Amino acid sequence: MSNSATMSSMQSMANIGGKAEGDISTIFTSLSGASHDVLPQRFADLKKTIVGTNSKAHQKLTESWRDLLAELQVGLREIQEKGSVIVPEVSFEELTSSRDGPAWIKEVAKRGVVIVRDVVPDEEALAWKQQVLDYIKANPQVKGKRFVLPSPPECISFLHHLGFPAEDKQAYEIYWSKSQVQARSHPNLLAAQKALMSKLFHADPKAPLSLETPVSYADRLRIRKPGDSKFALGPHIDGGSLERWEDVQYRSCYREILSGNWREHDPFDVGRRLGVNSDMYNGPNQCSVFRAFQGWLSLSSTGPSEGTLRVFPLIKEASAYVLLRPFFEPTLRPTDPNYLSADSWSIDIESTNFPNSFMAGAQELNDVTHPHLRLDDGGMVSVKKVKPGDMVFWHCDEIHAVESTHRGGGDSSVFYIPSAPLTAKTAEYVKRQKDVFLRGVPPPDFPGGAGENGFRGVGTPKDILTDEGKKALGLMPFSLEDGTTEGERAVLKEVNTILGF
């Protein structure tokens, strides 16, 4: 094939999946090492729009900031003392029982994270992992194919993007293996998603959504090898970055925080999230729909220090800090012993600074940009040991990361499977996702390209285990009789129309 033909073919492949081709590092500077320009002046104007120029409003916000910093210190001491044991857990049986379980629900609502034990049997989860390994072996192009095109005065090198890091993949751009399709449609996974969303989140009965009806949001997988230190995904929050302030509907989710009443913020009120635009800049890897919980299914026995998930387990306080941080700046140098004192920070509505927030990126955090969280000093904790078949779910606003080095002796493997409720917007996404599923190319929110198109053993609708799984993937109509509220019945009818039923 000629160089021009190869280039044309690759450009065509890149357009198949919609967004630009790439991998998970595209959206995270902690993985890519990319730098970003200073934000334009309109972001200083945005600050004034949000908090105004009234001195009384600034005083109220400052008092709220000081109150928050004091409360954060109390919470941080508890996190530092307890470590991983602070992460709540519940059995699948208890989660899906008819009992409300007020004790564990209250703790999950505070921490924003939960381990669900025994969602599927160990042997079933391990069989899924082996099936994925066989799938990768049967399709050696997953490992990467490099094209070198002479283009004086330098050569342009392309690598087929199906994982990160490119030369020794740990996070794979694989979405449609048979085992992933089966896992997403497994009755226990769907039941766990339904129970968590309906027991933790709430909305007005007339709101057009169903927390009782999870939809399938296809995501990638991880098979992290012992000793790896490249997939060192730092602290971050998914679901947009600047969008949290810039999109009017998105920032309404944090209205109480931004008006100086952070203690009134309810992280589990889903109503305001329905019209949010969390992907204003069409970034690869940027989630465009509301996922109540992010999550993964464990395919290995993995504990702290073995390449697992880390979280900042104070959902309300962390959300308040992240949203207020752009409006305050230090008056002392970081080396000053009083740097973190509330007295050493003043209101800032003149600069364009939104710390570690960038267009088309995730909201990343570190000890320089968000020092009061003490992310490198006990603020982040690893989740407790999990075994194959366990799941971990964390709130969509939860600060989370991946341990920088895998110091264990076995692989640290997961299928990423979040919980997304049924809404008109998620149905629109599912409709697009169904189309790419049938072609084996990446889901709409993820880096594009040919993906698994033409792969041997790629998943098909025949691999979906249940009718509920088919509904979640947009392949069967929802039953209007499943709606128990006015809002649910309305959205079920609308969604069936969107999906063409």
Side-chain angles (χ1 to χ4, degrees):
M1 181 182 292
S2 69
N3 292 336
S4 60
T6 301
M7 176 70 82
S8 177
S9 174
M10 292 180 68
Q11 289 174 339
S12 176
M13 286 165 54
N15 291 330
I16 291 176
K19 293 191 175 184
E21 194 170 3
D23 55 43
I24 194 172
S25 69
T26 309
I27 201 171
F28 296 111
T29 58
S30 61
L31 293 180
S32 67
S35 59
H36 295 272
D37 295 332
V38 174
L39 293 172
Q41 176 61 33
R42 63 186 174 88
F43 285 94
D45 299 336
L46 177 62
K47 287 186 179 183
K48 296 181 180 69
T49 298
I50 294 173
V51 302
T53 57
N54 183 282
S55 59
K56 289 185 178 179
H58 292 178
Q59 180 61 33
K60 184 178 181 181
L61 200 68
T62 300
E63 291 173 357
S64 181
W65 169 257
R66 295 172 68 90
D67 177 51
L68 171 63
L69 294 187
E71 193 65 25
L72 265 176
Q73 293 311 305
V74 175
L76 274 166
R77 283 194 292 270
E78 184 181 11
I79 295 171
Q80 292 166 333
E81 289 171 4
K82 294 184 177 179
S84 295
V85 299
I86 206 168
V87 176
E89 63 177 84
V90 63
S91 70
F92 172 74
E93 182 180 7
E94 184 178 2
L95 170 65
T96 55
S97 73
S98 58
R99 301 187 301 274
D100 289 336
W104 70 261
I105 288 177
K106 183 178 180 180
E107 195 62 15
V108 174
K110 180 178 182 179
R111 302 300 172 195
V113 61
V114 63
I115 299 170
V116 183
R117 301 291 188 188
D118 301 314
V119 177
V120 298
D122 298 29
E123 57 272 16
E124 192 164 11
L126 290 171
W128 282 336
K129 180 172 70 173
Q130 185 57 54
Q131 190 179 65
V132 163
L133 292 171
D134 294 341
Y135 181 62
I136 293 171
K137 185 176 180 180
N139 297 281
Q141 60 268 51
V142 172
K143 294 296 185 181
K145 182 178 180 181
R146 188 173 292 280
F147 302 87
V148 180
L149 308 181
S151 179
E154 60 186 359
C155 290
I156 304 174
S157 180
F158 296 90
L159 187 68
H160 193 45
H161 291 285
L162 281 171
F164 176 88
E167 306 296 344
D168 186 19
K169 295 177 174 60
Q170 316 285 322
Y172 289 83
E173 300 299 315
I174 291 176
Y175 307 91
W176 305 121
S177 68
K178 291 180 182 293
S179 51
Q180 285 168 292
V181 174
Q182 290 170 0
R184 294 181 196 123
S185 62
H186 193 285
N188 288 12
L189 270 79
L190 292 169
Q193 293 169 332
K194 173 182 176 180
L196 270 178
M197 289 193 296
S198 61
K199 291 185 177 183
L200 269 297
F201 281 84
H202 59 88
D204 187 288
K206 294 182 180 180
L209 82 159
S210 176
L211 293 168
E212 300 270 351
T213 310
V215 297
S216 185
Y217 183 90
D219 205 332
R220 52 174 67 87
L221 62 90
R222 181 184 82 218
I223 303 177
R224 196 177 187 194
K225 303 170 187 175
D228 172 67
S229 58
K230 291 185 177 180
F231 186 53
L233 183 53
H236 67 281
I237 308 169
D238 293 306
S241 178
L242 289 165
E243 288 89 346
R244 282 181 169 80
W245 298 273
E246 195 172 6
D247 179 65
V248 174
Q249 186 61 35
Y250 208 164
R251 72 171 178 258
S252 77
C253 300
Y254 313 104
R255 182 184 303 150
E256 291 77 13
I257 295 172
L258 295 170
S259 62
N261 299 291
W262 75 267
R263 289 182 181 271
E264 302 302 314
H265 173 62
D266 182 357
F268 294 92
D269 181 358
V270 70
R272 298 179 200 166
R273 295 183 183 266
L274 296 185
V276 162
N277 183 356
S278 57
D279 186 19
M280 295 176 66
Y281 300 98
N282 196 37
N285 294 293
Q286 191 70 279
C287 182
S288 65
V289 299
F290 171 54
R291 296 176 296 178
F293 287 99
Q294 293 175 252
W296 49 244
L297 170 72
S298 178
L299 307 176
S300 58
S301 293
T302 305
S305 81
E306 297 177 339
T308 196
L309 176 75
R310 290 172 65 77
V311 295
F312 186 94
L314 276 177
I315 183 62
K316 180 189 289 190
E317 292 85 344
S319 296
Y321 182 79
V322 171
L323 267 293
L324 290 177
R325 175 64 184 87
F327 301 95
F328 292 89
E329 62 180 357
T331 59
L332 300 175
R333 293 180 179 274
T335 53
D336 192 288
N338 294 315
Y339 177 68
L340 294 181
S341 169
D343 294 332
S344 303
W345 291 70
S346 62
I347 197 104
D348 169 27
I349 60 168
E350 299 300 331
S351 80
T352 65
N353 186 33
F354 281 73
N356 232 352
S357 304
F358 308 106
M359 300 177 193
Q363 178 59 58
E364 297 189 77
L365 309 96
N366 58 51
D367 270 351
V368 174
T369 60
H370 296 82
H372 297 91
L373 298 179
R374 309 296 289 269
L375 298 171
D376 290 334
D377 187 25
M380 300 290 289
V381 300
S382 300
V383 298
K384 292 177 282 192
K385 189 176 183 68
V386 294
K387 62 182 181 60
D390 291 342
M391 293 194 74
V392 180
F393 293 95
W394 58 99
H395 188 282
C396 55
D397 285 337
E398 185 91 341
I399 300 171
H400 60 288
V402 178
E403 289 179 332
S404 59
T405 302
H406 179 356
R407 304 183 189 279
D411 62 87
S412 174
S413 302
V414 304
F415 286 165
Y416 292 101
I417 303 178
S419 300
L422 184 67
T423 69
K425 187 171 183 178
T426 55
E428 293 281 4
Y429 183 86
V430 165
K431 181 180 180 180
R432 295 163 58 211
Q433 181 182 254
K434 175 183 67 174
D435 294 339
V436 298
F437 166 47
L438 298 175
R439 292 185 289 147
V441 298
D445 278 346
F446 292 84
E452 296 155 80
N453 181 267
F455 272 31
R456 296 175 59 187
V458 67
T460 72
K462 293 181 180 179
D463 299 303
I464 300 173
L465 298 179
T466 60
D467 283 350
E468 293 306 310
K470 292 177 182 177
K471 294 175 185 178
L473 267 168
L475 295 169
M476 277 184 65
F478 293 95
S479 172
L480 301 185
E481 296 177 357
D482 291 339
T484 60
T485 67
E486 179 181 341
E488 282 185 343
R489 288 188 291 270
V491 79
L492 287 167
K493 183 177 181 180
E494 182 181 6
V495 163
N496 281 343
T497 300
I498 290 170
L499 295 174
F501 296 117

